[in-house]
Amino acid sequence: MKKTYKIEVDCANCANLMEEATSKVNGVAKATVNFIMQKMTVEFAENTDVDSVMKAVSKACRKIEPDFEIEL
């Protein structure tokens, strides 16, 4: 399953770091962050609890940019 989320990120470098961090979260098969569009697309592994994974993604991204916002 693939979902796209509206995000708020301040710089392109942070967006790249968030993409890397999101890709490492357990349950994420692939992640793409588009800084210009302010969107994050996450492809989830099969049989994954999307809510739990997205909480972990949000936590990982806030380590990079504390004021990171994502519309779940």
Side-chain angles (χ1 to χ4, degrees), residues 42-57:
V42 181
E43 189 175 326
F44 299 94
E46 287 191 40
N47 303 319
T48 300
D49 178 17
V50 173
D51 292 334
S52 296
V53 171
M54 289 311 295
K55 285 179 185 175
V57 165

Side-chain angles (χ1 to χ4, degrees), residues 10 13 17 25-26 29 37 40 52 54 61-62 66 69 71:
D10 295 334
N13 185 50
L17 294 172
V25 171
N26 222 6
M37 299 295 291
M40 174 187 283
S52 296
M54 289 311 295
C61 289
R62 284 201 176 99
E69 293 292 327
E71 289 183 21

